[in-house]
Amino acid sequence: MDLANLSAFIAIAEIGSFSSAAERLYLTQPAVSKRIAGLEQQLSTRLFDRLGREVTLTEAGRALLPRAYQILNVLEDTRRALTNLSGEVGGRLTLATSHHIGLHRLPPLLRAFTRQYPAVALDIQFLDSEQAYDEILHGRAELAVITLAPEPHPLINAVPVWQDALDFVAAPEHPLANNDAVTLADVSCHPAVFPGGNTFTHHIVQRLFESQGLTPNIAMSTNYLETIKMMVSIGLAWSVLPRTMLDDQVAPIALPGIGLSRQLGYILHTERTLSNAAKAFMALLDGHAASV
């Protein structure tokens, strides 16, 4: 089975478009179509249904997809294992990270890593933590530095690095910010802007309200913390932000007895052979965690 054809198949299955898959693979669309035609001929079955502009997997395509991931992952795993025998720290390290961690936590560590290991080509992908989680599960990234899931997948090894304190915040002139006797019930009566419902941070905050039999008044949602901070600062709503982001644009809401935090750290697939570069970056993260 041709590996280039399998790569084209996976790209189309993930994106749902021949043209977009061609862009990802740096190929022309006819070249991608030819690869799929070759794979379908080899397997004697149709893998995609093409209905107008929509491209969907057939039953055979859905059956092939997890096996295609497995085949490519085994090959990459073998290459890494053989490369690791040299003991050198080099090659490409695909690292996924969230925008917040990439901006506020990783820069000094990345600076130290690139100085210590100049032969490593860093491929940094800025994604939502939930997307980065998926990149690790499907073998498209070696490491991800993200907000850790409250309940990790059995195939994911999650290692905490930072304990990230979260604060309820509002605009300085907001009534919640000028009251020393606020309760969670009071907060739930005011409009809120939350991280997207699919995010780990959303689930952490939601569980806090549910534990007290409350439902927050979520008026808006977005996955970008900087956008949330802007919306809070102009008085549109209250929210929850990492304490590291607080400044004079927003004011903490005093909630006696309420403490909220999330764990930030790195994840890896338990069944993947890691490159020497990935191991070196993990050692750097572990050393930082020990010093915090």
Side-chain angles (χ1 to χ4, degrees):
M1 191 175 294
D2 190 289
L3 296 175
N5 293 353
L6 275 182
S7 296
F9 166 74
I10 288 173
I12 297 167
E14 290 177 348
I15 301 173
S17 165
F18 275 67
S19 58
S20 297
E23 289 178 12
R24 178 195 281 189
L25 298 170
Y26 303 103
L27 297 170
T28 63
Q29 184 171 333
V32 169
S33 297
K34 185 176 180 181
R35 289 187 179 186
I36 296 304
L39 186 58
E40 289 179 331
Q41 184 177 8
Q42 188 176 19
L43 297 174
S44 301
T45 187
R46 194 171 185 84
L47 299 173
F48 294 103
D49 284 326
R50 302 159 180 84
L51 306 174
R53 293 188 176 182
E54 285 194 21
V55 178
T56 58
L57 286 166
T58 63
E59 184 179 357
R62 289 192 296 272
L64 174 61
L65 186 58
R67 292 169 174 82
Y69 280 126
Q70 187 176 18
I71 291 168
L72 292 185
N73 287 343
V74 168
L75 177 62
E76 287 301 317
D77 205 59
T78 303
R79 286 175 176 166
R80 280 189 297 272
L82 295 176
T83 302
N84 286 350
L85 295 175
S86 69
E88 296 180 0
V89 180
R92 178 174 294 274
L93 171 59
T94 304
L95 176 71
T97 187
S98 69
H99 294 83
H100 175 71
I101 295 174
L103 291 173
H104 297 277
R105 300 283 189 173
L106 278 186
L109 293 172
L110 290 171
R111 189 179 302 114
F113 183 80
T114 54
R115 287 176 178 173
Q116 189 171 355
Y117 303 107
V120 176
L122 276 174
D123 177 14
I124 303 175
Q125 302 175 357
F126 289 91
L127 305 167
D128 291 340
S129 291
E130 299 71 29
Q131 289 177 293
Y133 208 89
D134 199 50
E135 293 296 293
I136 293 295
L137 278 173
H138 285 110
R140 293 187 293 264
E142 274 199 87
L143 288 177
V145 187
I146 60 169
T147 300
L148 300 182
E151 297 175 2
H153 190 282
L155 291 176
I156 292 291
N157 183 18
V159 181
V161 177
W162 302 275
Q163 192 72 21
D164 200 33
L166 300 171
D167 286 335
F168 285 80
V169 294
E173 66 276 9
H174 196 286
L176 289 174
N178 296 293
N179 190 336
D180 294 332
V182 175
T183 67
L184 205 59
D186 297 327
V187 173
S188 67
C189 295
H190 291 263
V193 54
F194 260 39
N198 64 323
T199 64
F200 300 144
T201 305
H202 178 105
H203 294 312
I204 291 170
V205 181
Q206 186 74 33
R207 286 180 182 180
L208 173 64
F209 280 88
E210 289 175 353
S211 70
Q212 298 196 20
L214 299 169
T215 302
N217 177 13
I218 303 174
M220 297 166 282
S221 65
T222 174
N223 287 4
Y224 298 102
L225 294 179
E226 295 291 347
T227 304
I228 290 177
K229 182 180 177 182
M230 180 275 292
M231 291 180 172
V232 169
S233 70
I234 61 178
L236 288 179
W238 63 267
S239 191
V240 173
L241 288 174
R243 190 168 295 166
T244 53
M245 293 184 66
L246 270 57
D247 55 24
D248 57 5
Q249 296 181 59
V250 296
I253 300 171
L255 281 165
I258 298 292
L260 206 57
S261 67
R262 60 183 185 173
Q263 285 189 323
L264 311 180
Y266 65 88
I267 61 170
L268 58 147
H269 200 292
T270 57
E271 296 180 355
R272 178 170 184 158
T273 299
L274 294 175
S275 65
N276 289 338
K279 292 176 184 177
F281 197 80
M282 287 166 55
L284 191 66
L285 289 165
D286 292 339
H288 180 77
S291 67
V292 174

